[in-house]
Amino acid sequence: GAGVSQSPSNKVTEKGKDVELRCDPISGHTALYWYRQSLGQGLEFLIYFQGNSAPDKSGLPSDRFSAERTGGSVSTLTIQRTQQEDSAVYLCASSPRPGAGSPLHFGNGTRLTVT
Amino acid sequence: DQQVKQNSPSLSVQEGRISILNCDYTNSMFDYFLWYKKYPAEGPTFLISISSIKDKNEDGRFTVFLNKSAKHLSLHIVPSQPGDSAVYFCAASLYNFNKFYFGSGTKLNVKP
């Protein structure tokens, strides 16, 4: 079956512009995560959605970052007034149920470059 | 404050030999650990996991060892194959929680 799909795969934007990154999780997966990987760093947790529950936003680095998940499926990560330090690969992952016992299925990521 | 650390950014191994990738963690409450493999331009894929009630889990050529007292886990690949060349991430979590903490990765190169 189809895996997690992310678009665009690459995005170059000018500092100060807003960007939207999209994630289509695996059908039926209730849990959805956003992570990012900056150069030479590990995967940094950003936000977690589970069903209709309030999302865990504890990893969002600033109020310029927001995310939503519509209809329990597609998710959009929005970065407003982008800064150069936002340059990273943004990874979306989904899992069939919540909890650490259910490994994550990752998309191929969106490589964001802020010039 | 990184709770999961992979101190070796890279490792080079001859085909057929054993690859040992190491991971340390600081939070003694972590009770579930995973390894992911990542090829360039792809997302990480799940490889193997272990819960804290075990000290070893094996799946084919891949074995994960957990030393809770040392807060250390390792991934052994035997025998190593060129197709194993990738970046390997370890991750840790609390079983009933939803946040996974990842290390910075180790790039494995298996030479033919």
Side-chain angles (χ1 to χ4, degrees), chain A residues 33 35 37 41-43 45 48 56 58 91 98-104 106-108, chain B residues 2 32 34 36 38 41-44 46 89 93-95 97-100 102-104:
Chain A
Y33 301 75
Y35 280 81
Q37 185 183 16
Q41 303 297 311
L43 277 66
F45 168 79
Y48 161 76
D56 176 354
S58 60
L91 291 160
S102 182
L104 305 180
F106 283 89
N108 289 341
Chain B
Q2 204 163 359
Y32 194 69
L34 310 92
Y36 284 80
K38 184 183 183 301
E42 296 183 9
F46 170 71
F89 292 96
S93 183
L94 301 171
Y95 191 84
F97 286 79
N98 305 303
K99 196 179 297 183
F100 295 81
F102 284 82
S104 55

Side-chain angles (χ1 to χ4, degrees), chain B residues 56-70:
Chain B
K56 176 182 173 182
N57 188 26
E58 193 171 352
D59 183 2
R61 296 184 298 112
F62 302 90
T63 302
V64 56
F65 294 92
L66 176 63
N67 183 334
K68 292 186 288 293
S69 61

